[in-house]
Amino acid sequence: QVQPVESGGGLVQPGGSLRLSCAASGRTNVNEGMGWFRQAPGQGREFVAATKWTGDVILYADSVKGRFRISRDNAKNTVYLQMNGLKPEDTGVYYCAQARSRIGSTTSEYDYWGQGTQVTVSA
């Protein structure tokens, strides 16, 4: 079963930082890239960031530009999401997803999903 695995969530105060990790399933040369999405209680899944394994395409949601940074370690098949300047509205379950053919900002472009990791930003 192909399923990426997230880690690194937790509780942090406003203005704090967290780094999420996602271990991809399978070799990087059989999938195009990885994305991060988040889902707040009672809301739909929202795009956060994505990267191709080649690194030549990186996407961010406007709401996180300048605060979040996505990076990758191809040797470890792992993608990271460094989150700085966290706000209460960043709270939610963060999901990692693998795309076989292309990356983008919609959930339909991703083929495999992790189970999610909780991020809570609160004083």
Side-chain angles (χ1 to χ4, degrees):
Q1 182 179 358
V2 179
Q3 184 174 46
V5 179
E6 307 97 336
S7 62
L11 172 65
V12 63
Q13 292 185 342
S17 298
L18 278 176
R19 189 176 82 154
L20 306 182
S21 300
C22 175
S25 181
R27 303 187 307 275
T28 61
N29 62 354
V30 297
N31 66 84
E32 183 73 359
M34 307 290 290
W36 286 98
F37 289 75
R38 65 188 181 189
Q39 188 166 15
Q43 297 187 19
R45 205 162 288 191
E46 175 191 28
F47 172 72
V48 177
T51 181
K52 291 178 64 174
W53 284 113
T54 55
D56 57 340
V57 178
I58 295 177
L59 307 173
Y60 291 101
D62 288 343
S63 58
V64 305
K65 280 181 181 176
R67 299 188 299 123
F68 291 12
R69 181 175 179 271
I70 189 170
S71 61
R72 74 210 184 281
D73 185 332
N74 292 42
K76 295 181 179 179
N77 283 11
T78 299
V79 171
Y80 304 95
L81 185 68
Q82 176 66 43
M83 305 186 293
N84 301 322
L86 282 161
K87 305 175 182 180
E89 51 263 43
D90 293 317
T91 294
V93 178
Y94 281 68
Y95 296 92
C96 177
Q98 286 181 230
R100 287 188 300 180
S101 57
R102 65 174 184 175
I103 63 168
S105 61
T106 61
T107 57
S108 61
E109 292 167 292
Y110 295 84
D111 302 283
Y112 308 106
W113 292 82
Q115 294 189 336
T117 184
Q118 177 70 44
V119 171
T120 303
V121 184
S122 175

